[in-house]
Structure formats: C-alpha cells, structure tokens
C-alpha cells in the first residue's frame, strides 16, 4: 500500500521523496569548515541585560542550563521541557522539528502529527536559547529541500519559492526507511498556500545565525538560493499600486475564512521583517546586490505605507470619522475613499486617549479595524513600528488589559465577529464561532511575542503579569491550543491538548524574561534611513 495514501496525504506531485534524495543531501554539501564567529552582543542586548536584573538562571531541566548553578527550576518549566522533548520528530535518527500536538486522547489526529513551519518557530527559539541549535539547523535544511520540489495543486503549478505549510515523516519499520511527505496548501483548509512560511523561514535563519554566531549556513549557496526564490515571489511586479502584499483568506496563522483577505497586517509585518532579515544575510555579489537594492526600495515604500495608512490612534480615528468622501486627485485626504459610516461602533469605545495599533487591513473603501496580536507584536520586533508607535501599542494593551489579555494571554484578534457578520464573513464556520479559535480566541503561543515586544519597549512588568496568569492554568489544563470566551476562561471547544507551540511559547517567554539578551535573535533595531516625519498624535504626547 502507498504509505502516503495510508496517512491520507499526497506527495504534492513530487518526482521523488527525500528518502530517495541521497545525492541531494544538503548536510553533505554544507560539510565544510565552519566560520566560527564569536557572538557579540549588540548595544541593544547589552542595555537590556543591564536594564533588567533576572531573578537567577532559568534552571531548565537540561544539561545546558543546569551546569554551574543550583537554582530550582519552576515546576511548570520542568514539565514544559519534558513535553516539548516528547514532540520531537526524527528523520534518519536526526531531529528535524516538533509535531503540532502530542494529544493521544484526541480521536482524530488530522494534521496535528505534522511539523508545521510556523508552529516550529517558538520550539526552535526555545532550543536555540537553551544551546541546542542542531534541531534548528536540520529543520532549516529539510524545509529548504522541500522548497525545491515541484508543487502542484490539481493542474496548477505553484511558484518555485513556495515553502511548505507542513511536512510529515513516515517511518517504514519493515524496510527501515524514512520518507517525508509535504503539504504546500493542497491539503489545507480552503486549499490556500501558506504565504507566511517563507517569511518565518528567513526570520528563523537569521535567529539561528545570531544565536550561534555561525554564518556559514546562511552564506551557503543553497540558503542564498532559497532566500532569493522567496524574495522573487514577493518582490515580483504586477498590477499593485501599494507596496503591501495582496493575499487570500487563510494564508497565515488565521488559516480559515475570517475576512483577512486583501492586505492583512500579519503578512505585511512578517514581510517587512523577512525583508530586513534577508537584507542582512544576502551576500553582496552581483545577483545579491540586485536583490538588496530591490529590498531597500520596497522597505522604504512599505514602512511609509504601513505607518501612514494602517496606524490608528485617537487622533487618527477622529480624523477618519470626519473624512469627506469621493475625493479625486493627488490632494485627496481620504485616499482609500473610506466611508466614515463604515467605522464600527465598538472601535470608538475601544480606542483609549493614550494608545494605538496597526489595524487589520486597508484596501480601497475598506478598513478592518480589528486588533491582531501577531501583526502588532511583529511590527514592534521588526521596527516597522516607530518607537512612539511601539510605546502606543503597549499603552493600548495596558489600557485594554481585560479585552486583550483577560484571564489567558493573548487574544489573537479583537473583537469577535458574530451574528449576521459572522455568517457572511466565515460562511457559518462552526469552528470560528464568536470568542473561539481564530475569532477572538486566546492563544497561549502568543505569549512569547508579547514578551519580546514588552522587553523591547521597556515594559517587562506587563509580561510578568501575563506569565503569572498563564502559569496558573497551562500545566493544569495540559497545554491547550487555545481558550474560548470573551476573557479566555474556558479551554477551547476543539482545542488539542499538549499543543507544542503553547508549550514552547511559554518556555521562550520565560527565557526571554530571565535573560533579555536573547532578544537580539528575534528583534531588529530601527533603521534611521527609513525614519520619516509623521504627524504626532495626542497618544504620543499625553
């Protein structure tokens, strides 16, 4: 029997599996003298270490953390590491990732036994921070091999640079062989390719380089080609009049129909961060210089567009409320012809005098005013947000703590859509009912992003409070995927237990808070050349 059929997976019309690709073993290609570079902390990392006084080493239940200290680890930390290690996936006896969930109690496995690119990121960061980079390197190489596969959905061939959403390792105990089967979106809900996978891959490659001080992987011809293939996809010219990326619904963490089609903030923030990471890692040869020039131009246009049109605070909301419509020519103030009556009532109550955020989407005659946590946190980490905007986002979280954090951090988006709007937007999706899953659910994995953003903006007290909330429930509730309810009080109705990125997100948050110098691998400082004069609002000066 075909092993791919047995597991309900297709081999994406690929001509060969990785088990047959001995002649294309990137590990062998990269088996050359490593350029050992001593990791030097940036000014930002040094200042962070001096600014915060950790309460002692983390005391993780691993050799890397237990050597040289006698601190007792937090019991939740010990259990989290044990659970994370149970989720490790091996290919030919080498660790290559972590499965999405290790929930044996669930009747349906679905695709939770696969290694997802986006899901593995917090796991990878946890291993890097704990001095275990091998699994991260193996993951980067294996997904790079998968990128080179021919990818088809029905009779349509996907772009060469598309990274997989996930992959599964199939073990044949009789033949004693391992085979990898990948999903590029043809098996996903809605059959949408994962736009974010390539961006996360580039971001993780930089994190690996920063953490290990070893640039030989990023500088290898294979990784250079992989980055360029991704960049070719997202920098290609078309009919767009905006520097943002046009996307289908369900192309990111919000992988079901939730009305994020167009120019979702999550994709734009990840796009911006991936461009900056790639710019730092591309080799300045003839082809590399051409890509670098294109990146710089796009970054300038993208930062201006996002900071000008996606940003919302009290003053900007008031300005939009007073917009005139049907304006023509270059002098138009209401450039997207947004009708003021389309502003939802909730946003007027939600917006504090101090605070602001990047809204969910901006396109002709449409502004999605919903708050999306991942996009706003990545905007801070990538410095897409100016320092003033980053502080305003933190102000908003503090001012609207009950709405955005509640009893379990962190709301994936706010508010939930319901009633007629829910029926139209989601197509009666029974999983995305109000205050559940992607429709206003609370996701513990977002804790690591909140922690990193809080540390970068000098607000550690915010995340300490959030971690305390999580620690009281996560282990007791056996690490759910998400929580339901307006305040995140209930375990999600379809949430998997022992969800790997819930576990890893907690560990990364703890390690970041205890040693803020780790922030350097996932944070980028502001590029002064991209700084522009933006009219200050009251939320920046109050």
């Amino acid at each position: 029997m075909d092993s791919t059929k047995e597991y309900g997976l297709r081999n994406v019309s690929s001509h060969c599996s990785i088990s047959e690709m001995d002649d294309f073993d990137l590990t062998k290609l990269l088996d050359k003298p490593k350029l050992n570079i001593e990791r030097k902390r940036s000014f930002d990392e040094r200042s962070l270490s001096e600014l915060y006084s950790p309460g002692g080493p983390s005391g993780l239940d691993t050799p890397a953390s237990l050597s040289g200290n006698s601190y007792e680890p937090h019991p939740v930390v010990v259990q989290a590491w044990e659970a994370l290690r149970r989720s490790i996936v091996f290919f030919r006896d080498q660790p290559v990732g972590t499965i999405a969930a290790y929930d044996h109690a669930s009747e349906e496995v679905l695709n939770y036994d696969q290694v997802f690119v986006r899901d593995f990121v917090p796991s990878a960061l946890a291993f890097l921070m704990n001095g275990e980079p091998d699994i991260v390197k193996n993951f980067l190489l294996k997904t790079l091999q998968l990128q080179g596969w021919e990818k088809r959905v029905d009779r349509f061939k996907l772009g060469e640079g598309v990274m997989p959403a996930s992959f599964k390792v199939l073990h044949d105990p009789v033949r004693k062989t391992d085979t990898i089967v990948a999903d590029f979106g043809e098996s996903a809900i809605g059959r949408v390719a994962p736009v974010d996978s390539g961006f996360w891959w580039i971001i993780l490659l930089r994190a690996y380089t920063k953490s290990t001080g070893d640039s030989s992987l990023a500088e290898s011809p294979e990784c250079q080609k992989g980055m360029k293939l991704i960049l070719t996809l997202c920098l290609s010219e078309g009919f767009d009049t905006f520097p943002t990326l046009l996307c289908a619904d369900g192309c990111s963490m919000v992988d079901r129909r939730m009305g994020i089609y167009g120019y979702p903030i999550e994709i734009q923030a990840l796009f911006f961060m991936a461009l900056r990471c790639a710019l730092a890692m591309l080799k300045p040869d003839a082809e590399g210089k051409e890509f670098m020039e294109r990146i710089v131009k796009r970054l300038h246009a993208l930062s201006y567009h996002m900071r000008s049109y996606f940003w919302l605070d009290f003053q900007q909301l008031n300005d939009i409320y007073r917009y005139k419509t049907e304006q023509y020519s270059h002098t138009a103030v209401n450039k997207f012809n947004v009708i003021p009556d389309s502003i939802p009532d909730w946003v007027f109550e939600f917006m504090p005098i101090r605070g602001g955020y990047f809204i969910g989407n901006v396109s002709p005659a449409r502004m999605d005013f919903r708050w999306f946590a991942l996009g706003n946190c990545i905007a801070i980490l990538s410095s897409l947000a100016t320092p003033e905007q980053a502080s305003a986002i933190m102000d908003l979280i503090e001012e609207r703590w009950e709405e955005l954090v509640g009893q379990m951090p962190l709301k994936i988006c706010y508010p939930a859509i319901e009633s007629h709007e829910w029926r139209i937007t989601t197509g009666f999706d029974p999983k995305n009912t109000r205050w559940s899953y992607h429709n206003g659910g609370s996701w513990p994995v977002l804790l690591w992003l909140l922690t990193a953003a809080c540390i970068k903006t000098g607000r550690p007290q915010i995340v300490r409070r959030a971690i305390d909330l999580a620690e009281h429930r996560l282990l007791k509730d056996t690490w759910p995927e998400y929580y339901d309810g307006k305040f995140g009080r209930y375990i999600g109705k379809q949430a998997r237990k022992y969800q790997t990125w819930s576990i890893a997100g907690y560990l990364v948050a703890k390690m970041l808070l205890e040693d803020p110098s780790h922030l350097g691998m996932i944070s980028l400082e502001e590029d002064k050349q991209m700084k522009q004069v933006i009219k200050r609002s009251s939320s920046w000066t109050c």
Side-chain angles (χ1 to χ4, degrees):
M1 181 183 290
D2 186 349
S3 60
T4 59
K5 291 181 180 178
E6 180 183 353
Y7 283 84
L9 298 166
R10 293 197 293 119
N11 206 343
V12 291
S13 300
S14 302
H15 297 302
C16 62
S17 69
I18 281 186
S19 65
E20 301 163 341
M21 297 173 67
D22 288 321
D23 59 332
F24 191 62
D25 190 342
L26 286 182
T27 307
K28 294 177 182 177
L29 289 174
L30 292 174
D31 189 15
K32 48 190 163 185
K34 291 185 179 179
L35 179 61
N36 290 319
I37 302 175
E38 180 184 355
R39 183 185 176 203
K40 296 184 181 297
R41 293 187 302 159
S42 66
F43 172 79
D44 178 57
E45 290 173 314
R46 291 196 304 272
S47 61
L48 282 168
S49 297
E50 293 159 5
L51 181 61
Y52 307 119
S53 299
S58 60
L60 303 177
D61 191 20
T62 61
S65 61
L66 285 176
S67 58
N69 72 76
S70 58
Y71 287 88
E72 284 295 324
H74 194 289
V76 179
V77 170
V78 174
Q79 295 291 325
W81 272 109
E82 291 178 358
L84 181 60
R85 295 196 186 285
R86 283 198 300 270
S87 72
I88 294 177
V89 173
F90 291 87
F91 177 77
R92 296 180 182 170
D93 299 322
Q94 295 294 317
V96 292
T98 51
I99 59 173
Y102 195 78
D103 186 1
H104 289 305
S106 177
E107 295 180 357
E108 287 186 294
V109 175
L110 297 178
N111 57 358
Y112 283 85
D113 60 346
Q114 298 184 26
V115 179
F116 281 81
V117 172
R118 76 174 67 94
D119 290 41
F120 180 66
V121 171
S123 295
L125 295 176
F127 287 122
L128 288 174
M129 292 177 186
N130 201 46
E132 303 176 60
D134 288 349
I135 186 174
V136 182
K137 182 177 182 179
N138 294 339
F139 170 85
L140 290 167
L141 291 173
K142 285 293 174 279
T143 47
L144 187 62
Q145 288 180 347
L146 296 173
Q147 183 195 41
W149 285 12
E150 182 180 83
K151 303 169 278 283
R152 288 184 180 273
V153 177
D154 294 330
R155 297 184 180 183
F156 184 73
K157 183 178 178 181
L158 276 68
E160 190 178 2
V162 174
M163 281 287 184
S166 63
F167 64 87
K168 180 180 177 65
V169 177
L170 304 177
H171 302 285
D172 187 333
V174 177
R175 296 181 180 180
K176 296 182 179 179
T177 59
D178 290 346
T179 307
I180 285 184
V181 181
D183 174 20
F184 291 88
E186 82 285 358
S187 298
I189 299 294
R191 304 302 186 263
V192 179
V195 177
D196 61 339
S197 285
F199 299 151
W200 279 122
W201 187 89
I202 292 175
I203 293 167
L204 187 55
L205 179 61
R206 176 191 175 270
Y208 172 88
T209 304
K210 291 284 288 184
S211 175
T212 62
D214 174 19
S215 61
S216 62
L217 179 62
E219 291 176 355
S220 69
E222 296 75 27
C223 284
Q224 290 287 307
K225 180 183 177 181
M227 281 191 286
K228 290 171 185 176
L229 287 174
I230 296 169
L231 293 170
T232 298
L233 279 178
C234 57
L235 293 176
S236 59
E237 296 179 350
F239 292 98
D240 290 312
T241 54
F242 313 131
T244 42
L245 282 181
L246 182 62
C247 303
D249 230 338
C251 65
S252 58
M253 179 181 176
V254 181
D255 61 0
R256 300 169 75 92
R257 182 176 161 189
M258 270 292 293
I260 66 166
Y261 62 89
Y263 306 91
I265 178 60
E266 176 178 335
I267 292 298
Q268 313 314 321
L270 286 171
F271 179 34
F272 183 87
M273 188 167 190
L275 287 179
R276 292 199 62 193
C277 290
L279 186 62
M281 293 186 292
L282 284 171
K283 297 174 72 172
D285 52 24
E287 187 181 15
K289 283 184 178 179
E290 180 184 348
F291 273 101
M292 292 166 78
E293 290 173 1
R294 293 169 66 187
I295 288 173
V296 169
K297 290 179 181 177
R298 190 61 166 262
L299 283 172
H300 280 277
L302 185 59
S303 62
Y304 177 83
H305 184 89
M306 298 297 296
R307 293 169 182 175
S308 301
Y309 304 124
F310 274 67
W311 181 252
L312 187 73
D313 55 23
F314 184 84
Q315 183 61 55
Q316 181 67 6
L317 178 60
N318 205 160
D319 291 344
I320 296 172
Y321 176 69
R322 291 168 50 82
Y323 268 170
K324 298 186 184 306
T325 60
E326 308 300 327
Q327 295 180 322
Y328 295 89
S329 83
H330 296 288
T331 60
V333 175
N334 185 2
K335 294 186 178 182
F336 296 94
N337 196 36
V338 175
I339 310 300
D341 287 345
S342 69
I343 303 174
D345 292 338
W346 67 263
V347 77
F348 293 103
E349 299 298 323
F350 179 71
M351 180 61 69
I353 298 297
R354 292 181 53 137
Y357 64 104
F358 289 98
I359 64 174
N361 219 311
V362 177
S363 57
R366 174 178 179 244
M367 297 182 81
D368 182 350
F369 289 92
R370 284 177 294 175
W371 147 275
F372 287 87
L374 193 151
N376 276 273
C377 288
I378 291 293
I380 292 175
L381 295 178
S382 65
S383 291
L384 171 59
T386 66
E388 296 87 354
Q389 288 173 334
S391 293
I393 293 171
M394 289 294 109
D395 288 340
L396 178 78
I397 293 174
E398 286 193 298
E399 291 286 335
R400 296 293 177 257
W401 183 266
E402 287 300 313
E403 291 87 345
L404 302 180
V405 180
Q407 296 186 29
M408 176 55 66
L410 181 65
K411 286 291 178 195
I412 188 173
C413 71
Y414 182 89
I417 52 177
E418 49 190 314
S419 302
H420 180 67
E421 185 183 10
W422 167 79
R423 291 189 286 271
I424 296 298
T425 303
T426 72
F428 288 76
D429 187 351
K431 196 167 185 177
N432 273 328
T433 53
R434 64 176 184 173
W435 306 115
S436 181
Y437 202 52
H438 295 143
N439 189 13
S442 300
W443 290 70
V445 63
L446 297 172
L447 188 61
W448 81 264
L449 284 161
L450 176 64
T451 303
C454 287
I455 291 174
K456 184 171 183 180
T457 54
R459 309 280 189 95
Q461 73 282 358
I462 295 178
V463 80
R464 287 195 185 101
R465 185 179 172 192
I467 289 177
D468 286 344
L469 284 172
E471 278 182 336
H472 279 97
R473 293 200 60 183
L474 284 178
L475 180 60
K476 182 182 67 174
D477 295 340
T478 57
W479 308 100
E481 179 183 11
Y482 62 94
Y483 286 78
D484 283 356
K486 196 168 186 178
F487 303 106
R489 295 175 59 194
Y490 304 97
I491 297 173
K493 59 184 176 182
Q494 295 187 42
R496 295 304 169 107
K497 300 294 185 70
Y498 293 100
Q499 185 78 16
T500 304
W501 69 354
S502 295
I503 298 164
Y506 164 75
L507 287 172
V508 172
K510 290 287 285 188
M511 287 188 280
L512 277 171
L513 195 58
E514 292 177 358
D515 184 1
S517 69
H518 288 311
L519 184 67
M521 72 173 77
I522 50 172
S523 175
L524 295 162
E525 289 308 293
E526 185 181 21
D527 186 343
K528 302 299 182 183
Q529 293 182 345
M530 285 190 291
K531 194 170 184 178
Q532 73 232 29
V533 177
I534 300 179
K535 182 177 65 175
R536 285 179 173 266
S537 71
S538 59
S539 68
W540 296 351
T541 56
C542 287

